[in-house]
Amino acid sequence: MFDSPHRRFNPLTGDWVLVSPQRTKRPWLGQVEKVQPEKLPRYDPTCYLCPGNERAGGIKNPDYDGTFVFDNDFAALTPGPLQESHASDHPLLVSVPESGVCRVVCFSPRHDLTLPELELPVIENIITTWTQQTGELGAKDFIQNVQVFENKGAMMGCSNPHPHSQIWAQSQLPNEITKELASQSVYFHEHGQPLLADYLAEERKRGERVVFQNAHFTALVPFWGVWPFELLLIAHRPSAYLMELTSIEITALAEVLRQIAIRFDNLFETSFPYSMGFHQAPFDGQLHSEWTLHAHFYPPLLRSASVRKFMVGYELLAMPQRDITPETAAERLREVSSIHYKKSGN
Ligand SMILES: [Zn+2]
Ligand SMILES: [Zn+2]
């Protein structure tokens, strides 16, 4: 059905992606090499995220044994109510003030254990921390959006290998949330159902793009995915915020996150880099029945631990393009082992 060039529509953002399945048959001239993973110590005395170590400005980390949260020492946003709007002397030169809070969430004291290598209760604790932080930050008067995200791997520009995530809470909606809110609102108004609930039902019926699911969450390669192994993780129960998750749902979410991360690592037997993050409804005091809690995973790797996809040229100037289809990507992620390759002794 999908063996010739076509476009696919992303109903969440209104963007299109060009899919060129015939190109997966072209000869590959680049080198595919095995990358030996760097062996990290349990504790690194030079790491500013490890317990007991010193951070910027001479602040000392506590001897934490679970998650550890602190305000980013080099925050992109500063807190407090918005300053008076900038005076603009030209309609094409528009800027508005922004304020917010940027925090870092260390996953665990272990410098060497990434998400797929952590035990389930540790991942549950990470989700609970994200949830508490989201609730605390979202309750502030000047906060409209809370973005929980993880940047994993040097390839994604992550500056410290100690597994951690970030939370940026800000006073205005960022671009992606603005687009997704508009699309989901229009859809809910027209159909009386959340867009992602309808999409999830259809994907679960078809199954071909589903990678892993349990009673409360489904991870799938979206029909309109741009990155080769992009994933969308959708909550089954209508919910708009992480704080709405029950303890059973947190356990289920931990299982799906762990499975996704294990399968990613197993694909090329490497610590699989990605940017991932949750999309929650705006924190504006309104009821957001149109919204479904979900997370996006954007991994850059294409065919090995060292061969990545670049968003350059045509993609920067025209539109995103992919060769491997979302159906093939989902099949590959379903086929790999559910046990981490480091544990399975390979
Ligand atoms: Zn560390
Ligand atoms: Zn989203």
Side-chain angles (χ1 to χ4, degrees), residues 47 49-50 111 162:
C47 167
L49 298 178
C50 274
H111 185 82
H162 191 123

Side-chain angles (χ1 to χ4, degrees), residues 55-56 187 212 234 279:
R55 299 205 313 275
Y187 189 94
F212 183 82
I234 309 174
H279 275 165

Side-chain angles (χ1 to χ4, degrees), residues 64-345:
Y64 64 96
D65 55 10
T67 53
F68 168 50
V69 184
F70 63 92
D71 282 338
N72 196 318
D73 299 314
F74 302 98
L77 294 160
T78 50
L82 285 182
Q83 304 299 308
E84 219 173 281
S85 212
H86 298 179
S88 173
D89 57 4
H90 194 284
L92 294 179
L93 305 174
V94 180
S95 78
V96 292
E98 180 81 86
S99 70
V101 178
C102 299
R103 287 185 179 159
V104 176
V105 180
C106 294
F107 287 169
S108 86
R110 289 287 294 265
H111 185 82
D112 57 338
L113 295 183
T114 58
L115 197 69
E117 300 164 279
L118 294 170
E119 298 301 327
L120 212 55
V122 181
I123 302 177
E124 287 172 7
N125 187 41
I126 295 166
I127 299 168
T128 303
T129 305
W130 287 337
T131 300
Q132 287 165 348
Q133 289 292 320
T134 298
E136 183 196 316
L137 292 166
K140 291 184 190 292
D141 291 347
F142 64 98
I143 295 300
Q144 281 233 34
N145 187 72
V146 180
Q147 181 61 60
V148 175
F149 66 99
E150 181 193 3
N151 244 356
K152 184 178 169 228
M155 198 177 270
M156 298 311 290
C158 181
S159 54
N160 187 321
H162 191 123
H164 67 281
S165 57
Q166 298 188 59
I167 302 176
W168 289 23
Q170 66 192 99
S171 58
Q172 291 159 98
L173 298 186
N175 302 348
E176 294 305 302
I177 299 297
T178 302
K179 287 189 273 187
E180 292 192 0
L181 178 64
S183 302
Q184 291 179 101
S185 299
V186 168
Y187 189 94
F188 190 77
H189 187 71
E190 286 176 359
H191 302 266
Q193 283 288 330
L195 186 160
L196 280 178
D198 278 358
Y199 176 63
L200 177 66
E202 188 60 28
E203 288 289 21
R204 291 181 78 197
K205 200 164 76 187
R206 293 175 180 238
E208 60 180 340
R209 279 173 292 271
V210 172
V211 171
F212 183 82
Q213 59 182 321
N214 58 24
H216 301 284
F217 289 90
T218 294
L220 52 88
V221 182
F223 180 75
W224 54 82
V226 164
W227 295 92
F229 295 96
E230 180 173 330
L231 285 183
L232 181 60
L233 167 55
I234 309 174
H236 290 186
R237 187 170 63 87
S239 46
Y241 304 101
L242 283 166
M243 298 91 74
E244 291 175 47
L245 298 179
T246 63
S247 60
I248 290 170
E249 286 170 323
I250 287 178
T251 303
L253 178 56
E255 187 195 22
V256 179
L257 284 178
R258 192 159 182 273
Q259 266 305 307
I260 289 174
I262 287 175
R263 283 159 191 272
F264 274 161
D265 274 14
N266 286 349
L267 201 55
F268 302 128
E269 296 200 353
T270 190
S271 185
F272 203 78
Y274 57 71
S275 282
M276 72 78 70
F278 288 89
H279 275 165
Q280 312 185 63
F283 292 78
D284 54 6
Q286 311 284 315
L287 180 67
H288 284 285
S289 308
E290 80 287 344
W291 199 276
T292 306
L293 178 69
H294 64 279
H296 299 275
F297 285 77
Y298 300 127
L301 291 182
L302 178 60
R303 64 179 83 226
S304 77
S306 60
V307 179
R308 62 162 294 172
K309 173 176 179 61
F310 288 96
M311 288 281 184
V312 294
Y314 178 81
E315 293 164 314
L316 277 181
L317 292 154
M319 69 195 291
Q321 182 271 340
R322 66 180 295 151
D323 295 346
I324 175 178
T325 63
E327 296 72 41
T328 304
E331 198 181 340
R332 293 200 52 193
L333 286 168
R334 272 197 308 268
E335 277 170 359
V336 293
S337 171
S338 59
I339 300 162
H340 198 267
Y341 73 95
K342 283 188 188 167
K343 281 195 177 156
S344 62

